[in-house]
Structures are given as structure tokens and as C-alpha cells.
């Protein structure tokens, strides 16, 4: 049985449990519960603080983990990234007071910068050849300049609203992050096989979010022309209709191309077009 560590509370907790549920895996949550048995897959779920997950996976306490790539980069533990998951997107950025005369990274030379991610920031400054005072703060990093603890901050940014409300502006993006499935490097063959099954489910879910299943009726003589308009995942499925000279065409189209392709299909005679969310069809 695999053991996967996820965040005990917060947005990544909800999104991680949601992903498991989409993959046919349900977890009965309970208050103050550290570990829970899942249904639908041989899996135990371990609930931890997000910054403890990389260490737990590296040590083999958990076989897998769902955690932000920023935490993996900051902690530096030996883990394998099985796949990015497409949610929990954020960035780690440097921000300065609105009134600061910022002209580039040299602004930080000799200045005090507050952060909860000192290792990532230290690496960035080293690559830039900048010496600065890094002050590690747990909690509300964004208030540090206002109370005189620092000249700037380095912190997670999602929408940027927190920076604005604290009189700060984002000036340098150092790392872009999202949630990822990570794995212990020392998994045995059986657990690697189980991990591959789980990754297949997760990848199918992620890919389906950008695809639509399209059904339409089409004159038989237009099939070749329609097929050329439908790159999809594979060649479209063609089924005969009771009405002579007509067929039903089924295809998968990426959302980015969907409506443009539908207009072109209508122009060559497609009728009765129906668009379905592929992700709903694979659950």
C-alpha cells in the first residue's frame, strides 16, 4: 500500500483531496486525524504541514507527496518529481515599497530583505552576485517593511492583492511554482508500479481539462475534409446513420481550437453539433 502526504489544511488540502476524488479515490477526513485509509486505490493519506512534506517523502515516511514546488526547492531534500499537477500556481517574487526608486536587482545590494524562503533567495542573490542581509520571518512577511524590519520582501505572490494592500510592488519574479506529485527516490518495484498507475490517473484528469468531446452529424462525402480539421487526440470515430449519405462523427478537440474548428465544420455541412466536457466522461 502506498502512503501519500498532503497538506493538513488550506487550499492545497482541498485541491489535493479533489484530485484524488476525480481519480476515483475517496478519503474520509476527520478532525485531528493524522492518517486515513483511502477507498478506490491501495493508498493511505498522511496529513502534514506543507513544509514537512518534502522531508517526509525523502525519508520514506511517505512514499509520495502533493506539495508546492516552492517548498521542494526551499527544503532541498532528495525527492523525485513525478509530475506537476496544474493547480496551486504561484510565484516567489521580490517586492519593494511603492516609493522605492527601483532600477534593477542591484537595488538589494546591502539591503535587508525579509522572507520565509531564505534558501531560494540566497541562491538567487548568489547568481546575481549580490550581497544582502536576509532576515528569515515566519508568518506575515509583507508587513516587515512597514514596521522597519526590512527594506524589501521575498514572498509568495498569487494575485498580488496582499502586496498592494501593504504598499508594496512586485519587481522581480525568482521562481514560478505549482503543486506537484513528488516521490521517494528509494521506492521498490511494486510501489513504483503503483505510482505509475496513480500518475496515469492524474495525468488523464489533467489532460482532459483542456479537451472537449464533440459529436456531430455530417454528410459522408465531407468526412475526409472534416477529418483534416480535427487533429484531436486521435483520428475521429465515424459511425453510420440510418439516413443514407450521413454519418455521426465523434472527436476530441483542445479548448483553444474548439470554436474556430466548429465554425469551419459547420461551413462544410456539419449539423447537430454537441460539445461535452471530456473530464466528466472519464470519471
Amino acid at each position: 500500500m502506498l502512503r501519500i502526504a498532503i497538506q493538513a489544511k488550506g487550499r492545497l488540502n482541498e485541491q489535493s483531496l479533489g484530485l484524488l476524488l476525480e481519480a476515483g479515490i475517496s478519503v474520509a477526513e476527520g478532525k485531528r486525524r493524522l492518517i486515513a485509509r483511502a477507498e478506490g486505490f491501495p493508498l493511505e493519506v498522511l496529513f502534514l504541514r506543507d513544509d514537512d512534506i518534502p522531508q517526509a517523502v525523502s525519508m520514506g515516511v511517505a512514499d509520495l507527496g502533493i506539495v508546492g514546488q516552492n517548498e521542494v526547492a526551499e527544503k532541498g531534500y532528495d525527492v523525485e518529481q513525478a509530475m506537476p499537477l496544474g493547480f496551486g500556481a504561484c510565484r516567489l517574487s521580490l517586492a519593494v515599497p511603492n516609493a522605492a526608486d527601483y532600477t534593477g536587482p542591484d537595488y538589494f545590494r546591502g539591503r535587508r530583505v525579509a522572507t520565509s524562503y531564505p534558501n531560494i533567495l540566497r541562491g538567487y542573490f548568489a547568481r546575481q552576485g549580490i550581497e544582502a542581509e536576509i532576515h528569515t520571518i515566519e508568518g506575515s512577511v509583507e508587513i516587515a517593511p512597514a514596521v522597519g524590519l526590512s527594506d524589501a520582501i521575498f514572498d509568495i505572490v498569487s494575485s498580488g492583492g496582499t502586496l498592494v494592500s501593504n504598499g508594496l510592488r512586485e519587481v522581480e519574479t525568482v521562481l514560478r511554482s505549482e503543486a506537484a506529485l513528488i516521490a521517494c527516490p528509494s521506492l521498490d518495484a511494486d510501489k513504483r508500479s503503483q505510482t505509475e498507475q496513480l500518475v496515469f490517473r492524474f495525468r488523464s484528469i489533467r489532460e482532459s481539462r483542456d479537451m472537449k468531446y464533440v459529436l456531430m452529424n455530417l454528410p459522408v462525402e465531407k468526412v475526409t475534409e472534416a477529418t483534416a480539421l480535427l487533429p484531436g487526440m486521435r483520428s475521429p470515430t465515424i459511425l453510420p446513420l440510418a439516413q443514407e449519405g450521413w454519418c455521426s462523427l465523434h472527436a476530441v478537440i483542445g479548448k483553444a481550437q474548439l470554436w474556430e474548428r466548429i465554425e469551419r465544420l459547420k461551413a462544410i455541412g456539419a449539423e447537430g453539433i454537441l460539445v461535452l466536457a471530456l473530464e466528466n466522461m472519464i470519471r
Side-chain angles (χ1 to χ4, degrees):
M1 178 175 292
L2 284 175
R3 178 179 288 178
I4 186 170
I6 70 171
Q7 188 172 309
K9 57 183 179 180
R11 186 178 62 173
L12 278 191
N13 167 272
E14 298 169 2
Q15 292 173 311
S16 299
L17 290 173
L19 175 63
L20 289 171
L21 190 60
E22 285 188 85
I25 304 166
S26 59
V27 183
E29 281 195 283
K31 290 185 177 180
R32 302 181 185 277
R33 178 177 287 188
L34 174 64
I35 192 166
R37 181 78 173 267
E39 295 183 2
F41 197 84
L43 189 70
E44 287 182 329
V45 180
L46 185 63
F47 297 95
L48 297 175
R49 283 169 48 98
D50 58 348
D51 53 358
D52 290 332
I53 293 175
Q55 182 180 15
V57 173
S58 177
M59 293 174 61
V61 173
D63 303 305
L64 306 173
I66 295 178
V67 69
Q69 294 167 324
N70 55 301
E71 293 294 343
V72 176
E74 174 62 23
K75 300 304 179 182
Y77 288 106
D78 183 20
V79 298
E80 297 175 357
Q81 180 168 296
M83 67 172 291
L85 295 173
F87 58 82
C90 65
R91 56 194 182 274
L92 282 173
S93 296
L94 285 154
V96 301
N98 287 330
D101 182 18
Y102 184 80
T103 58
D106 273 351
Y107 170 88
F108 300 103
R109 198 177 301 276
R111 296 185 187 269
R112 293 171 298 167
V113 184
T115 185
S116 297
Y117 296 89
N119 293 326
I120 295 174
L121 181 58
R122 193 173 293 115
Y124 171 75
F125 281 155
R127 292 191 297 273
Q128 297 292 323
I130 293 171
E131 290 187 9
E133 295 181 35
I134 297 175
H135 292 257
T136 303
I137 294 178
E138 300 296 337
S140 301
V141 174
E142 64 274 1
I143 68 170
V147 299
L149 288 175
S150 70
D151 302 303
I153 69 166
F154 176 64
D155 201 15
I156 287 179
V157 179
S158 294
S159 66
T162 301
L163 294 181
V164 172
S165 64
N166 284 276
L168 301 170
R169 72 180 194 273
E170 185 179 1
V171 292
E172 299 289 340
T173 297
V174 175
L175 176 72
R176 295 191 180 275
S177 172
E178 65 180 277
L181 179 70
I182 60 173
C184 177
S186 59
L187 291 182
D188 62 29
D190 288 340
K191 288 188 174 181
R192 286 197 177 274
S193 177
Q194 288 177 307
T195 297
E196 289 172 4
Q197 294 175 39
L198 197 60
V199 167
F200 172 79
R201 295 193 190 188
F202 288 172
R203 183 165 288 120
S204 297
I205 291 165
R206 180 169 185 182
E207 290 176 352
S208 73
R209 288 176 180 149
D210 294 324
M211 307 298 289
K212 296 293 184 180
Y213 191 83
V214 181
L215 300 84
M216 69 197 74
N217 296 332
L218 190 74
V220 171
E221 69 268 18
K222 296 293 184 178
V223 167
T224 300
E225 192 174 349
T227 300
L229 296 173
L230 295 168
M233 295 172 68
R234 292 188 181 276
S235 298
T237 299
I238 311 295
L239 300 173
L241 293 178
Q243 183 177 350
E244 187 175 351
W246 283 79
C247 64
S248 175
L249 185 149
H250 300 218
V252 175
I253 307 177
K255 286 193 293 188
Q257 301 173 312
L258 178 66
W259 299 111
E260 180 266 339
R261 296 303 169 99
I262 284 178
E263 290 303 320
R264 294 173 68 180
L265 288 162
K266 287 167 62 179
I268 64 171
E271 298 179 359
I273 298 173
L274 181 63
V275 179
L276 303 173
L278 185 61
E279 60 187 291
N280 293 331
M281 301 180 66
I282 65 172
R283 292 178 188 173

